[in-house]
Amino acid sequence: MRHSLPLTPQFYVTAPQPCPYLPGRMERKLFTALQGEHAQKLNDTLSKQGFRRSQNVLYRPSCAECSACLSARIRVADFRPSRTQRRILKRTAELRRNATSPWATEDQFALFRRYLDHRHADGGMADMDIFEFAAMIEETPIKSRVIEYTRPPRAGDSGRQLAAVCLTDVFDDGLSMVYSFYDPDLSGLSLGTHVILDHIAIAREAGLPYVYLGYWVPGSRKMGYKAGFSALEIYKGGEWVPLGDPSSHAADLHPLSVDPIAEQVARISLPDTRL
């Protein structure tokens, strides 16, 4: 007779390195491998507990004396676009969406390089080559899609050109925007906002309740835009709660704000699998 047994992944902690969001802070991540026949179930379960995917790894922040990073998601059924967001949708009405398998192309990489050179020239991905880019897109053990957005052709173009790209994971309860990038020459269109709004539309059409946006960090200008979306929830204190007033949240930098790693791991809920 076979029984239902829990998955037992091994968890590890990265070495501290400078935080990309809060100056003067050091970041550290708790992570585990995402592999095997139950990878999708493990990803679905841990994502509901604040984890994110990067290729075949699941991670969440576990800094020694900081708990500022808060996983964020939008409740699709309750979302209502703001006046500004409605104007953005009108400006981007000529964009066309195309959902493809997670396969990297030269056009995607060219757009990715232009995006990094203009927006994140000193970031952690600045030196990424085409092979590393392909690994980021293609190394996924779960259900993933590449969502491309093209603009109408201009004089001299051979056809519609890439305007934005998003690597998107499909969960049992929503869509996760793993990484997105766009044409820096089209910054006036607010393409980053458009991609999020379109993912909300995709999730609504598919009957999925959430769109996962990654981490929101109080006090970080890089992450401030996420608070502009209605029906936003954050994972705080082991549960999903409405964001409410963004100014009511502060980066918790107390030495006791983060539990020891062993206690964090002990509280992680793991899925059961029938063997």
Side-chain angles (χ1 to χ4, degrees):
M1 179 177 180
R2 296 188 176 184
H3 302 278
S4 178
L5 298 175
L7 289 172
T8 55
Q10 299 297 308
F11 289 88
Y12 306 91
V13 181
T14 63
Q17 57 184 1
C19 176
Y21 305 120
L22 298 176
R25 306 300 302 176
M26 300 295 288
E27 73 166 0
R28 188 181 65 176
K29 293 184 176 72
L30 178 68
F31 70 96
T32 188
L34 183 62
Q35 58 191 6
E37 61 178 316
H38 302 300
Q40 183 74 55
K41 185 174 288 188
L42 180 63
N43 187 67
D44 290 345
T45 301
L46 292 193
S47 295
K48 297 181 181 71
Q49 299 170 71
F51 280 78
R52 294 280 289 170
R53 184 183 73 83
S54 177
Q55 294 174 236
N56 59 355
V57 169
L58 285 173
Y59 71 91
R60 74 180 182 192
S62 181
C63 306
E65 297 182 357
C66 178
S67 57
C69 294
L70 302 168
S71 189
R73 69 185 186 187
I74 295 170
R75 296 190 311 276
V76 171
D78 298 325
F79 173 77
R80 299 293 181 273
S82 66
R83 181 177 301 177
T84 297
Q85 290 164 352
R86 290 195 296 270
R87 287 200 294 265
I88 290 171
L89 288 174
K90 288 183 180 179
R91 288 202 301 267
T92 56
E94 290 186 324
L95 294 180
R96 184 179 299 167
R97 177 212 303 158
N98 179 42
T100 73
S101 59
W103 187 257
T105 67
E106 292 184 0
D107 286 346
Q108 291 170 8
F109 180 68
L111 181 63
F112 174 73
R113 286 299 338 162
R114 290 180 57 216
Y115 172 77
L116 289 185
D117 292 343
H118 283 78
R119 296 293 299 265
H120 303 286
D122 57 350
M125 292 183 173
D127 297 326
M128 185 178 287
D129 61 26
I130 192 168
F131 301 105
E132 293 167 320
F133 174 76
M136 180 181 75
I137 298 294
E138 298 172 9
E139 289 185 9
T140 170
I142 66 167
K143 186 177 181 180
S144 301
R145 297 289 185 271
V146 171
I147 313 295
E148 297 180 339
Y149 298 87
T150 59
R151 61 167 174 79
R154 300 169 180 166
D157 289 341
S158 58
R160 297 185 68 90
Q161 301 294 305
L162 273 182
V165 177
C166 186
L167 174 61
T168 303
D169 287 348
V170 183
F171 296 166
D172 59 358
D173 71 342
L175 302 177
S176 175
M177 299 177 64
V178 177
Y179 191 77
S180 60
F181 51 95
Y182 52 85
D183 188 341
D185 293 339
L186 301 177
S187 58
L189 294 180
S190 301
L191 290 175
T193 296
H194 171 85
V195 172
I196 294 175
L197 294 172
D198 190 61
H199 274 66
I200 295 171
I202 296 171
R204 182 175 286 122
E205 293 167 6
L208 296 171
Y210 301 108
V211 171
Y212 290 79
L213 300 182
Y215 295 107
W216 176 71
V217 185
S220 170
R221 294 183 62 183
K222 288 183 180 180
M223 295 297 178
Y225 70 93
K226 296 179 183 180
F229 290 85
S230 66
L232 193 73
E233 296 182 343
I234 53 174
Y235 190 72
K236 190 173 186 179
E239 62 180 343
W240 289 97
V241 297
L243 174 65
D245 182 0
S247 64
S248 67
H249 302 276
D252 194 344
L253 307 178
H254 192 275
L256 301 180
S257 64
V258 179
D259 293 328
I261 294 296
E263 294 181 15
Q264 294 182 45
V265 173
R267 287 198 298 270
I268 293 173
S269 297
L270 299 174
D272 288 342
T273 59
R274 292 197 175 274
L275 302 179

